């Protein structure tokens, strides 16, 4: 029947039955309509009840009851939400730490953006090579699966963590894979984790900067047999911090033990990763979602350990340093006998410091109370294994231990020179009374929290102090007590170039440098201050004008300009320099001429004072050191100690001494002491061959 005909017939019957009274007709009609509506709805309710899953349905939430109220997705219609246990990705690995709430369920929402076409950036860090090999395998597998993939060593290829872990490279959003070993001793990953943590807790930056990456996965490499309670802790922490920074986890954290079926499990993880690319599981639950209550804080995940040693016995860093002739003193200091000390013992000449300041190399000890540094300079050999950091996070040794330890280690090395041909008996005897300490070996000496007590101990022993700092620690520089000579390294004249040359860890590296120069001109103007410029061709030699600006800022007493030294091939040590970057002496001479002209042109009273051609080193001095027609760049050491002992305030001009003429800029000796024997390796070799 037509839908309108039945109600009309009903209304007509009611009208006739109630004798034509419209009120009754109206009430009866409303009652009829209501009852018929209920009748229409009832079958629908029944349909939904029939669609509920049966008790035997395989539920992804593990019986937690979530699906009781939700419609079950069909095969054609993918679910909009996944729930995965990310706590342990491999069932047979031991739990790394005693989790407070386990197993941890992370709820993940399906993202709009798919990482399918995203390029992969595979970051790794490796001290002994296994993580590097694993990362290469991941990379090869991705390339074989026709994905774009690029390997990046976090310690060498990534100069600026900001450009990947605060900002994201431009272009299609990349997918990050991190392959990380774990070390309970200090390792470069500690700095990486410190960086992630600082970024995540820095209120000045975007709370979720890594939302822009397509996704991330972490593969941890460790040793669950020897480090059961610390197994892969650093990878676990990295996984959590990346998530906290807003990155979405596309594949679960893998934790592989190098001693347990490593290759097979690595392959399984890689296969799973590749498989997940086309079926992405995107987890973004750590980014400020309301479900955060189910998550465990990363601090809770990490075992509470004591402060680490910067260089622990037996650690890869320790092995690397000792292999190169360094003696590690305590846990963060080092000493090494330099080639000039050996040369001076054999009467073959001292280093440029003898020509410029009167330091005899056989009386000099090169040491550092902090092997760690806040830069990764291109001309430094130590990349990859060196401790780095912006804050002191290690155990601290007492200065007495370092001074005594360094002297003993130095004397031990001198003793080994006893039988070397050509060693002068007099110089050999003198060498057991160190007179000068060059705090310039590697690392950053003023980073050491007790640097002032350390300097006091040296001075008490009448050992002069030549302290070189990297212009990144203005607070420590401002409170530094008197040193014999205070250096600041100026490795590039502009903000942009400094970033490339020094690869600084601090974001405000340029402001720090500027503050340091300001401190030299003001608070530390009583010191004998020196700018040290290390010239690297193609990096920092083009802009003499900008260097002059920096000289005007800090008004140093002296400017030491030195051509960079080649410290071996770039392979393996992260040093990107080749011989092409090492300037010839002539190029250094041209540079200092330009710089001096630039200084003079703006009324800054500096001039070329001395040179040591053999070391490719030139000294520019303020004209106040040109006294009575003679340069006075040398130091009267006994006077320095006398003034220090007196407690009175004094400045650089109070303990100067005349520079010998053979060290003058332009002299025929070009800085070579005429009393020493010039040793020409090539000629000596030829002579030996003729005598054979
Ligand atoms: C000094 C030292 C400390 C280590 N500490 C840990 C640790 O805390 N947790 C862990 O799972 N593995 C630890 N390991 C094992 C390394 O993570 C493992 O050897 C790994 O393969 C090193 O990776 P790499 O070769 O890429 O540097 C340590 C190894 C050494 C030599
Ligand atoms: S400041 Fe010195 S120790 Fe530090 S990275 Fe540069 S060259 Fe190496």
């Amino acid at each position: 029947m037509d839908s309108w005909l039945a109600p009309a017939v009903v209304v007509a019957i009611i009208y006739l039955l109630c004798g034509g009274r419209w009120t009754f007709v109206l009430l009866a009609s409303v009652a009829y309509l209501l009852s018929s509506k209920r009748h229409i709805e009832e079958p629908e309710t029944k349909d939904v009840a029939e669609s509920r899953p049966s008790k035997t349905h395989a539920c992804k939430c593990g019986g937690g009851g979530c699906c009781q109220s939700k419609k079950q997705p069909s095969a054609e219609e993918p679910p909009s939400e996944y729930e995965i246990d990310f706590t342990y990705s491999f069932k047979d690995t031991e739990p790394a730490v005693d989790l407070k709430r386990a197993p941890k369920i992370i709820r993940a929402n399906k993202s709009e953006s798919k990482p399918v076409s995203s390029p992969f950036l595979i970051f790794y860090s490796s001290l002994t090579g296994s993580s590097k090999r694993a990362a290469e395998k991941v990379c090869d597998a991705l390339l074989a699966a026709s994905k774009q993939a690029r390997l990046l060593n976090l310690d060498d290829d990534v100069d600026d963590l900001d450009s990947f872990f605060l900002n994201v490279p431009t272009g299609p959003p990349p997918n990050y894979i991190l392959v990380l070993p774990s070390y309970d001793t200090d390792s470069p990953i500690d700095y990486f984790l410190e960086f992630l943590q600082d970024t995540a807790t820095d209120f000045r930056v975007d709370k979720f900067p890594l939302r822009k990456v397509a996704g991330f996965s972490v593969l941890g490499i460790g040793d669950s047999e020897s480090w059961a309670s610390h197994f892969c802790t650093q990878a676990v922490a990295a996984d959590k911090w990346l998530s906290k920074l807003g990155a979405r986890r596309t594949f679960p954290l893998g934790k592989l033990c190098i001693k347990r079926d490593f290759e097979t499990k690595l392959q399984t993880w890689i296969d799973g990763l590749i498989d997940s690319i086309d079926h992405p599981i995107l987890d973004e639950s750590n980014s400020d979602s309301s479900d955060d209550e189910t998550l465990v804080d990363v601090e809770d995940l990490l075992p509470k350990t004591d402060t680490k040693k910067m260089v622990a016995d037996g650690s890869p860093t320790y092995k690397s340093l000792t292999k190169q002739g360094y003696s590690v003193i305590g846990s963060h200091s080092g000493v090494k006998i330099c080639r000039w000390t050996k040369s001076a013992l054999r009467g073959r000449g001292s280093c440029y410091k003898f020509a410029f300041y009167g330091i005899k190399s056989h009386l000099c000890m090169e040491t550092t109370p902090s092997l760690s540094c806040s830069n990764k300079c291109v001309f430094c050999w130590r990349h990859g294994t060196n401790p780095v950091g912006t804050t002191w996070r290690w155990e601290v040794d007492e200065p007495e231990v370092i001074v005594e330890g360094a002297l003993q280690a130095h004397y031990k090395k001198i003793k080994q020179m006893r039988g070397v041909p050509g060693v002068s008996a007099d110089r050999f005897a003198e060498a057991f009374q160190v007179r000068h300490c060059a705090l310039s070996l590697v690392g950053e000496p003023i980073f050491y929290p007790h640097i002032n007590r350390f300097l006091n101990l040296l001075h008490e022993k009448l050992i002069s102090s030549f302290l070189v700092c990297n212009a990144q620690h203005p607070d420590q520089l401002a409170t530094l007590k008197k040193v014999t000579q205070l250096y600041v390294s100026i490795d590039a004249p502009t903000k942009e170039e400094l970033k490339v040359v020094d690869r600084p860890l601090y974001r405000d590296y340029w402001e720090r440098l500027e503050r340091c120069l300001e401190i030299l001109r003001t608070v530390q103007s009583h010191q004998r201050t020196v700018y040290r410029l290390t010239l690297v061709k193609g990096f920092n030699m083009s802009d003499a004008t900008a260097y002059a600006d920096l000289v005007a800022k800090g008004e140093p007493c002296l400017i030491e300009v030195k051509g960079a030294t080649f410290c071996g091939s770039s392979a393996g040590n992260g040093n990107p320099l080749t011989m092409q970057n090492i300037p010839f002496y002539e190029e250094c001479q041209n540079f200092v001429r330009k710089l001096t002209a630039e200084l003079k042109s703006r009324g800054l009273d500096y001039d070329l004072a001395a040179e040591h051609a053999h070391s490719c080193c030139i000294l520019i001095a303020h004209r106040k050191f040109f006294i009575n027609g003679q340069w006075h760049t040398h130091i009267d050491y006994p006077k320095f100690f006398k003034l220090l002992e007196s407690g009175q305030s004094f400045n650089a001009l109070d303990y100067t001494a005349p520079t010998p003429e053979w060290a003058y800029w332009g002299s025929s000796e070009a800085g070579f002491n005429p009393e020493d024997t010039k040793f020409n390796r090539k000629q000596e070799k030829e002579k030996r061959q003729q005598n054979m």
Side-chain angles (χ1 to χ4, degrees), residues 98 121 161 199 287 298 326 392 394 409 429-430 457 466 482 484 486 491 500 571 575 584 596 618 658 662 671:
D98 184 19
L121 294 181
L161 290 171
T199 311
S287 55
V298 75
Y326 287 80
W392 188 279
W394 306 277
E430 282 171 8
L457 290 171
F466 275 54
K482 194 74 147 185
T484 315
L486 173 59
D491 295 335
V500 177
N575 185 329
F584 290 109
T596 317
I618 299 152
W662 54 260

Side-chain angles (χ1 to χ4, degrees), residues 370-383 386 440-444 468-470 489 491 501-502:
S370 167
L371 287 160
S372 162
C373 191
S374 47
N375 280 347
K376 296 201 276 183
C377 303
V378 290
F379 44 74
C380 185
W381 58 269
R382 307 171 314 133
H383 307 309
N386 62 312
S440 57
L441 186 60
V442 286
E444 180 53 28
V468 185
C469 62
N470 66 5
S489 293
D491 295 335
V501 177
D502 275 6

